[in-house]
Amino acid sequence: MGPSGAERALHKAVSLGADRSIHLSDDALAGSDVAATGYALATVLKTENPDLVLLGQQSDDGECYTIGAVVADHLQMPSVTQVVKLTLGDGSAQCERQAEYGYDTVEVQFPAVISVGDAINEPRYPSLKAIMGAKKKPLEVKSAGDVGIDTSLVGTDGSKVACGDFKAPPAKAAGEIIEDEDTNETVAKIVSWLEERKLIA
Amino acid sequence: MSSVLVYALHKDGVINKNSLGAISEGARVASALGGQCEVVAVGGADLTDDLLAGLGNYGASKVYKVEGPEGLAQPVVDAMAQIIDNGGHKYAIFGGGLLGFEIGAGLAARKQAGVTMEVTAINVEGGEAKAERPILGDSQISISTYRGGLGVIVGRINAFELKETGGTAAVETLPVEFSAWSTKATMVTRGEQRGADINIEDAEVLIAGGRGLGAAEGFTMCDDLAEALGGTVAATRAVVDAGWFPYAGQIGQTGKTVAPKLYLAAGISGAIQHKVGMQGSENIIAINKDSNAPIFEFADLGIIGDLNKILPKLTEAINAKKG
């Protein structure tokens, strides 16, 4: 979901292994918060009837880490986020993740929504052939109306969080920065810094 | 009545410290709104009435006890949605952590509510809560307000101060019928420790290693420096997930919170999830080859350089000083 530039992200996704892509693009969606974005994505996904919806860790801008949980509630599917190991079973998956008290292993029955954490893998580099081929794979562009999104629930006006106010955080004294050119000199500086603060016992 | 509902995370009969902080904060917000702070806990027999009544000490007026699975978000969404449908709560507050994020987001979806993550402060003005969230690498603070009936506020770890006020809460056992999909995720094992049990919370000096160490073997350099400084070695989530270091030694959002006299970060970029677990340290030194690493924004002494060169020489120099 995004303006026309989002196509580049879809081409990349297809070059990494996807078979086809859908681009949800509509001016009415601009300014959607995480709950509205999740609703819009879930509405598209409903038309696809998937067994498994996979998402990444977080968006670069909103950084909410939780769009999967929003999508799952709209799709009425079980969900886990921050999965670092995913093992597929028969109609289900075992998901490992780190939570507040250590590692949890959760069994999830399909259809399900799973978000992975950055530790799941190192994304492969697409081959040149895959990059060239990506533009030939099907890419459907859909508008809010095409999939039945209620536009009163999306966009800046449909979002339930209003965040137009900003302020500067409390100022913190800047630290000292040393660029290591002569390591003996750098080390001597660290040692005297530690000594000044009585940190060498 | 403008009430606040707080989720209390627990394990083995102990309520999570961040949840206690959220209850204290919820009580403060509720009182400013002229309402009550209510709490919900979901779990098994370890949620005793005594334990839950004790949450009154942090400002809860009432605690809903719901029997259900632990460590999973969606059953808690069901429970909270049911309580809010009946009670008309204006805000739902979470102490943060992975489950707080998931439940908060699920609840926002269910109730068509606004949700804000990583909140560090809540101010009440004109009968409304305004949530402050640091953004763009903590360089700005965005202030959220909420439209509609419910606002969901998920705190950043350690953001809400725990306050003991005395008192006991009323405990109500609440039957909740879970949604069909909520029961399709089941816990196989919870809280597995993975690796040795090490204590990093009491150390005065911590040498923490991150992905910049290159490999598990890189921790030998940290061990040597820790020995020279009389400290303990700790790690980031990334290297724990990679299996280079035990989970018990992990600092950050899903690990430990530490505040040693000296914290030396070796090859750590300083992502928010790490920062929240160590920013209370008295003296912070960072060594990283990437001059753009966020850790240099909050280190007291930052060294831009190759830790493979610097760490061994630093250990040697400190050992020489000690004679």
Side-chain angles (χ1 to χ4, degrees):
Chain A
M1 165 174 150
S4 59
E7 241 177 46
R8 286 199 300 274
L10 293 173
H11 284 146
K12 173 134 197 220
V14 169
S15 73
L16 286 167
D19 295 309
R20 62 189 177 91
S21 58
I22 299 168
H23 181 187
L24 176 62
S25 190
D26 201 307
D27 288 344
L29 299 166
S32 295
D33 66 7
V34 61
T37 304
Y39 159 70
L41 291 175
T43 311
V44 181
L45 286 161
K46 253 178 210 165
T47 65
E48 294 287 327
N49 205 23
D51 293 314
L52 173 62
V53 179
L54 271 177
L55 299 97
Q57 179 167 264
Q58 94 249 38
S59 65
D60 266 349
D61 48 2
E63 292 201 280
C64 288
Y65 298 87
T66 46
I67 195 112
V70 177
V71 168
D73 202 78
H74 286 294
L75 294 178
Q76 306 195 335
M77 290 180 185
S79 157
V80 276
T81 67
Q82 298 284 351
V83 171
V84 298
K85 192 177 170 199
L86 183 61
T87 313
L88 288 181
D90 188 15
S92 68
Q94 281 228 336
C95 303
E96 290 181 28
R97 60 159 171 189
Q98 199 189 86
E100 280 77 10
Y101 298 99
Y103 284 88
D104 292 352
T105 302
V106 180
E107 171 99 17
V108 185
Q109 288 176 46
F110 292 155
V113 180
I114 294 171
S115 316
V116 298
D118 56 7
I120 187 101
N121 58 24
E122 284 291 329
R124 70 173 72 95
Y125 287 100
S127 66
L128 192 60
K129 192 177 158 217
I131 293 170
M132 300 308 286
K135 286 183 184 166
K136 290 180 197 132
K137 297 261 181 81
L139 189 162
E140 278 175 275
V141 181
K142 293 191 175 180
S143 69
D146 291 341
V147 288
I149 289 170
D150 177 349
T151 50
S152 73
L153 300 177
V154 294
T156 307
D157 291 343
S159 294
K160 298 297 192 294
V161 175
C163 46
D165 274 355
F166 298 92
K167 68 174 190 183
K172 181 187 186 286
E176 189 183 335
I177 301 285
I178 300 170
E179 238 176 291
D180 178 40
E181 279 160 10
D182 176 338
T183 301
N184 290 327
E185 211 175 284
T186 303
V187 164
K189 281 183 191 161
I190 303 173
V191 169
S192 61
W193 194 92
L194 290 169
E195 279 185 320
E196 275 166 36
R197 287 159 184 79
K198 303 193 171 23
L199 292 166
I200 299 180
Chain B
M1 192 179 69
S2 282
S3 284
V4 170
L5 183 63
V6 177
Y7 167 64
L9 172 70
H10 79 288
K11 187 171 186 285
D12 301 332
V14 180
I15 305 289
N16 189 279
K17 187 173 145 275
N18 276 287
S19 292
L20 297 179
I23 295 169
S24 292
E25 184 70 3
R28 193 185 64 77
V29 169
S31 145
L33 293 166
Q36 306 274 313
C37 174
E38 300 188 333
V39 174
V40 57
V42 178
D46 61 334
L47 287 178
T48 62
D49 286 0
D50 276 355
L51 174 76
L52 298 179
L55 297 178
N57 187 27
Y58 301 92
S61 61
K62 184 179 187 180
V63 182
Y64 297 96
K65 178 164 88 166
V66 177
E67 195 184 320
E70 285 176 23
L72 297 167
Q74 288 165 305
V76 184
V77 174
D78 292 336
M80 291 183 82
Q82 181 179 320
I83 293 165
I84 292 166
D85 283 343
N86 291 322
H89 300 72
K90 202 159 180 231
Y91 297 98
I93 300 181
F94 299 83
L98 181 103
L99 221 55
F101 276 60
E102 287 184 340
I103 302 164
L107 187 63
R110 187 79 58 91
K111 299 295 300 166
Q112 289 191 1
V115 57
T116 314
M117 310 300 175
E118 298 272 4
V119 170
T120 52
I122 306 171
N123 297 308
V124 178
E125 282 170 39
E128 259 195 292
K130 299 188 168 189
E132 297 189 1
R133 178 191 175 167
I135 54 167
L136 304 171
D138 290 359
S139 63
Q140 276 288 309
I141 292 174
S142 161
I143 302 165
S144 298
T145 52
Y146 304 91
R147 303 187 188 111
L150 175 71
V152 180
I153 298 173
V154 184
R156 181 178 275 188
I157 287 285
N158 303 318
F160 300 142
E161 205 179 322
L162 203 139
K163 279 201 194 90
E164 296 195 48
T165 51
T168 46
V171 179
E172 181 183 326
T173 302
L174 186 76
V176 171
E177 198 171 323
F178 297 119
S179 309
W181 64 93
S182 294
T183 55
K184 290 194 171 153
T186 45
M187 188 66 74
V188 180
T189 51
R190 184 180 184 208
E192 197 189 320
Q193 289 304 298
R194 297 202 179 164
D197 186 18
I198 52 176
N199 178 2
I200 60 167
E201 285 159 298
D202 300 325
E204 295 207 324
V205 173
L206 279 177
I207 311 299
R211 216 194 278 272
L213 289 171
E217 292 70 35
F219 272 99
T220 323
M221 293 186 293
C222 297
D223 290 337
D224 294 344
L225 181 58
E227 202 182 332
L229 284 167
T232 304
V233 178
T236 63
R237 197 265 303 152
V239 299
V240 171
D241 269 341
W244 299 358
F245 204 78
Y247 168 74
Q250 178 187 315
I251 293 165
Q253 184 157 279
T254 46
K256 304 279 166 41
T257 296
V258 294
K261 276 189 183 160
L262 172 64
Y263 179 90
L264 189 146
I268 292 176
S269 68
I272 299 296
Q273 293 75 13
H274 185 72
K275 183 183 174 184
V276 294
M278 49 61 72
Q279 61 187 348
S281 305
E282 272 178 55
N283 297 285
I284 300 170
I285 302 184
I287 304 176
N288 201 303
K289 63 174 190 240
D290 175 10
S291 62
N292 292 318
I295 197 147
F296 290 128
E297 301 290 323
F298 56 94
D300 300 302
L301 177 64
I303 316 291
I304 303 165
D306 180 357
L307 53 85
N308 293 300
K309 274 163 52 184
I310 297 164
L311 286 184
K313 284 199 170 174
L314 181 58
T315 303
E316 201 180 301
I318 289 163
N319 282 332
K321 275 282 169 201
K322 295 188 344 188

